[in-house]
Amino acid sequence: MTDVVRLEAVSKVYGKGQGAVAALREVSVGIPRGSFTAVMGPSGSGKSTFLHCAAGLDVPSSGSVRLGDTELSRLGETQLTELRRHRVGFVFQAFNLVPALNVTENVTLPLRLAGERVDRAWLGEILARVGLEDRAGHRPAELSGGQQQRVALARALVTRPEVVFGDEPTGALDTMTARQVLRLLREVVTAMGQTVVMVTHDPLAASYAETVLFLADGQIVDTMSGPTPEKVAERMTGLGAWK
Ligand code: ADP
């Protein structure tokens, strides 16, 4: 399988001198196309930094990040903005929807910001996929948390991104609703061939992925395929995560 995202010896240091913190230390990993990967690790292990560097939201101190054939360090700010707009999608813990816009308007916002026309058939397909066809005219305040996160997912998918990054996408949802969103994430991988990378600290959430990367002290210390909540929790305990 080809890698959609490839990190090669990526390090990230925050601050300088005595106060410098190495958030990532020479991380090398490939994310295969059409895979669902969860990133886990204790608090402060570098998960957010990993996600931000992989997604082009933050610039590594050294090393290389490639999205497809594009080396991110070669891009200027304008090109990076362009890349973030078209080639990657994001789903955050806070749904980040625009309250004054309805579902359709929220979902198509990335396209309209880029001055592109909206492919109605594709929009319909995505709204159906996330189960919101009959909510197209509703505002976020008229939707449940799970529905709002499904709008955010639809918005992340609308530009046909090469990869969707999730930062604790189910962190604000109750268990039942979280499961629905996780099933949906898995579905966009299996049914649409989408690539998803999700940071989480929840073993149940991680068990929906095919592969779990475990971070500790800024390094990938383990990889697990076919995770179960129990196996993931056990590994996290080994990393001292619940202390
Ligand atoms: P996680 O997401 O696993 O909790 P982070 O990637 O947020 O970990 O942080 C990794 C390390 O880098 C931590 O020690 C954190 O304090 C530090 N860090 C993260 N962001 C910054 C920043 N902007 N400035 C200074 N230190 C930071």
Side-chain angles (χ1 to χ4, degrees), residues 104-199:
T104 299
E105 291 163 344
N106 265 290
V107 171
T108 55
L109 192 60
L111 294 172
R112 289 185 290 130
L113 285 174
E116 284 170 24
R117 60 172 276 285
V118 175
D119 178 342
R120 289 281 145 193
W122 177 236
L123 175 65
E125 203 176 306
I126 288 179
L127 288 180
R129 169 70 58 198
V130 302
L132 289 170
E133 317 95 300
D134 56 349
R135 294 283 189 281
H138 289 231
R139 301 251 169 99
E142 298 165 331
L143 301 172
S144 69
Q147 288 171 332
Q148 290 186 51
Q149 193 58 307
R150 286 190 268 143
V151 177
L153 179 58
R155 180 184 55 189
L157 294 170
V158 80
T159 58
R160 304 174 193 269
E162 285 156 66
V163 51
V164 170
F165 291 101
D167 196 352
E168 300 276 4
T170 55
L173 304 174
D174 63 74
T175 310
M176 283 297 289
T177 312
R179 281 174 191 254
Q180 286 169 7
V181 170
L182 289 161
R183 269 200 293 271
L184 186 57
L185 280 171
R186 196 160 64 184
E187 209 176 286
V188 303
V189 172
T190 51
M192 298 171 75
Q194 183 65 58
T195 308
V196 175
V197 180
M198 167 184 78
V199 163

Side-chain angles (χ1 to χ4, degrees), residues 14-15 21-24 41-50 58 167 199 215:
Y14 291 109
V21 176
L24 288 181
S43 176
S45 59
K47 300 184 295 295
S48 304
T49 307
F50 174 87
D58 204 348
D167 196 352
V199 163
L215 278 171

Side-chain angles (χ1 to χ4, degrees), residues 3 9 15 23-24 34 45 48 50 58 66 74 81 85 95 103 121 138 148 174-175 201 210 214 224 228 230 239:
D3 290 338
L24 288 181
S45 59
S48 304
F50 174 87
D58 204 348
R66 296 179 79 86
R74 298 226 178 86
T81 304
R85 217 172 246 171
F95 317 126
V103 168
H138 289 231
Q148 290 186 51
D174 63 74
T175 310
H201 62 250
E210 298 159 306
F214 291 92
M224 184 185 288
T228 64
E230 294 74 25
L239 295 174

